[in-house]
Amino acid sequence: MPFPILQIPFDVRSEIISLLRPNEIVTASFSSKNFKRLIKKQYQRPSKLKFDVHIGYKGLIGNCQGIVLSAEHISELSEKAHEIICTNGYKRGFSSKFPVLYFENRVMGTKMIIDYVTDLFGTCIDELYVDRNGIWAIDWINSRQSKPLACLFLVKADNGDPIADEEAEYVLSEGQWINCDNLMNVDATVFAVHNSRLTDSELNAFLRHWRSGGSPRLEVLDMNFEREVLVPAWFDPELEIVETDEVRRYRYRDGSEMEIQGGFSIQRMDGVNATIVCDLGQFCMVVWHSDGH
């Protein structure tokens, strides 16, 4: 027999909702419009919940407690065993832990799940993980929320994605989908790039951009390459980069820490310092702002 949650006193109802995990709340919100309105009322003040978005051959939104909602291409339906419900131009099924929405257009589907979850909880997106199919989401997410993305992670596309190339043609440039302009234009505090093909001259161009005041919010740039990064041979002398034996710690927003031992020091025109550590195919730059990070 269904539990009549809409008929119990407000205080008791609020306490019950507060005990649910985010994926359970999202799943329950699809049960009725009245219950969805009840949840939104519960979170009518800005929520402290932080959500991350992963965009590859499917769109996923979740947080440290797990995935809460997924958007997949309609072609995935034949491989699923969900009971499917057709609603408002998309098809909905349920995995064992969260709802799955199926769309002909994956970009539209991903936008919808982001809108749905952020509206439901009265919050914004904190971290974004994308391959080349999700580049569009960087500017789109930053333009729709007052607080910019805190962290951006760029990863290699899944080779098993059957329609990745046809959807990503507009961002490809001779196989290098992350170029120097992309690097300069991203507004994030933590920026990670996997399997980068940036050249030494492009890295120098980015460092000149940063040194003159560009990317002011950047705290960590963490990149790995498909080649070795030769240091200090490729540093442009005008950057005035010097070797250092200083040991420092960077504290991420989740409380974890990264220890930086030695490396190279570079100073911005306004006096802010950064440490660069390179090891074979790895390049990591940590900016030491005055706020303790």
Side-chain angles (χ1 to χ4, degrees):
M1 182 177 181
F3 182 72
I5 190 170
L6 297 176
Q7 300 175 22
I8 63 178
F10 175 79
D11 290 345
V12 178
R13 201 166 55 199
S14 297
E15 182 64 24
I16 291 173
I17 293 175
S18 70
L19 296 175
L20 296 176
R21 295 167 63 90
N23 63 312
E24 295 170 334
I25 292 174
V26 173
T27 300
S29 73
F30 282 100
S31 64
S32 74
K33 292 181 179 179
N34 286 337
F35 190 67
K36 181 181 177 182
R37 282 194 291 268
L38 186 154
I39 294 171
K40 288 184 65 175
K41 187 175 181 180
Q42 177 95 349
Y43 290 95
Q44 59 186 344
R45 295 181 179 178
S47 172
K48 294 182 179 180
L49 285 173
K50 294 182 178 180
F51 286 94
D52 309 332
V53 172
H54 298 244
I55 303 175
Y57 74 96
K58 64 177 70 173
L60 301 170
I61 182 168
N63 62 7
C64 60
Q65 297 184 59
I67 298 168
V68 301
L69 189 57
S70 172
E72 300 188 17
H73 190 261
I74 199 73
S75 62
E76 298 290 316
L77 261 177
S78 60
E79 302 176 7
K80 306 294 181 180
H82 307 310
E83 180 181 348
I84 302 302
I85 301 172
C86 296
T87 311
N88 298 326
Y90 64 89
K91 295 184 178 181
R92 184 174 81 239
F94 291 89
S95 72
S96 60
K97 295 182 179 180
F98 54 86
V100 182
L101 310 185
Y102 299 94
F103 299 83
E104 289 285 354
N105 185 306
R106 294 192 296 184
V107 171
M108 182 185 75
T110 303
K111 287 182 177 181
M112 180 175 176
I113 66 171
I114 293 172
D115 283 337
Y116 189 91
V117 172
T118 54
D119 177 61
L120 187 66
F121 290 99
T123 188
C124 60
I125 301 303
D126 191 55
E127 297 184 1
L128 176 63
Y129 298 74
V130 296
D131 65 17
R132 65 177 182 263
N133 302 300
I135 286 293
W136 59 266
I138 300 172
D139 290 336
W140 182 78
I141 290 176
N142 276 330
S143 68
R144 66 181 295 281
Q145 58 188 42
S146 58
K147 181 182 177 182
L149 286 165
C151 301
L152 174 62
F153 301 87
L154 305 179
V155 299
K156 190 174 182 179
D158 189 334
N159 292 330
D161 185 356
I163 59 175
D165 290 337
E166 87 179 51
E167 291 192 353
E169 287 179 351
Y170 71 100
V171 299
L172 294 176
S173 174
E174 298 179 350
Q176 296 185 15
W177 68 284
I178 297 300
N179 56 36
C180 189
D181 287 338
N182 299 142
L183 204 59
M184 292 178 181
N185 292 327
V186 169
D187 180 23
T189 56
V190 178
F191 188 18
V193 182
H194 300 284
N195 300 307
S196 172
R197 296 180 183 177
L198 290 180
T199 65
D200 296 349
S201 61
E202 287 176 311
L203 285 172
N204 275 313
F206 173 77
L207 291 175
R208 284 193 292 271
H209 155 82
W210 176 84
R211 193 164 180 259
S212 62
S215 305
R217 294 199 323 120
L218 181 68
E219 294 177 8
V220 176
L221 174 60
D222 191 3
M223 309 175 70
N224 62 55
F225 294 81
E226 296 180 346
R227 61 181 178 85
E228 290 187 3
V229 180
L230 301 177
V231 178
W234 61 267
F235 284 147
D236 191 324
E238 71 179 33
L239 294 172
E240 300 181 349
I241 295 175
V242 296
E243 195 166 1
T244 179
D245 58 2
E246 192 173 17
V247 178
R248 303 184 71 169
R249 289 181 179 273
Y250 173 82
R251 187 179 68 258
Y252 289 96
R253 280 167 169 72
D254 64 1
S256 61
E257 293 188 343
M258 171 175 58
E259 184 175 87
I260 306 296
Q261 299 183 2
F264 300 86
S265 180
I266 180 173
Q267 187 175 71
R268 205 161 60 190
M269 297 300 186
D270 61 2
V272 173
N273 290 293
T275 302
I276 297 172
V277 177
C278 299
D279 182 18
L280 299 178
Q282 191 76 22
F283 174 95
C284 183
M285 175 178 174
V286 179
V287 182
W288 307 108
H289 292 283
S290 59
D291 60 4
H293 285 90

